[in-house]
Amino acid sequence: MEPVTLTTDRLVLRAVGPEDTDAVFAAAQDPDIQRWTTVPSPYLYEHARGFTGRMVPDGWAGDSMFTFGLFLPAGDLVGMLGITMRGLGEAEIGYWGAKEHRGNGYVSEAASAVARWAFTERCVDRLEWRAEVGNHASRAVAERAGFTVEGTLRSALNNKGVRRDCWVGSLLPSDLGLPSAAPYLPARA
């Protein structure tokens, strides 16, 4: 698939490319991004170059991972968000916000827009969010975007070779008033 560009009230969401390598590298120097996400640590320039030059374009081309840079209209990178396809109708969302732009609701705004796109354009029926237990900022973003936190999974994340417990949540098309691509029969309580 060719990369798409989405817009929200305050953001332009587009695939990053080689021209964004410096901005990605600078943002990923933040110790919180290196701590809570699976980006390499230390994060070297070659990591940013591989991400913007190979990983992002390959994900779009293979219909396997749809990565969006979150940009202000003036061009400042405020975060990154990716949708990784996990199976038929199932995908996982991941994101980070640039330190100097946190607290403005940008990542939640982007997560809502990209979720809507995934549901309507990629036939996703379940969008899953995971974050290491203790990553309260990621959980707050997910909850603001409408995700339902479903519980804790033991040893379900591997971050830099260490197994960690994680919170898991989901967003369904019906949570946004959208139809599902496949029928859904919820369990009866």
Side-chain angles (χ1 to χ4, degrees), residues 74-136:
D76 295 345
L77 176 69
V78 300
M80 196 67 56
L81 186 148
I83 300 285
T84 303
M85 298 305 295
R86 296 290 185 214
L88 185 60
E90 297 176 15
E92 184 175 334
I93 190 170
Y95 44 76
W96 54 255
K99 185 175 187 171
E100 62 274 14
H101 294 288
R102 289 184 194 138
N104 295 306
Y106 294 136
V107 180
S108 296
E109 183 177 320
S112 295
V114 173
R116 186 170 292 277
W117 171 81
F119 293 146
T120 59
E121 301 299 322
R122 303 307 307 157
C123 296
V124 170
D125 282 325
R126 176 182 167 85
L127 187 55
E128 192 167 281
W129 158 84
R130 293 178 179 214
E132 183 180 334
V133 171
N135 188 346
H136 296 282

Side-chain angles (χ1 to χ4, degrees), residues 6 110 113 115 134 157 164 171 176:
L6 305 174
L157 282 183
R164 300 171 188 270
L171 187 67
L176 301 179

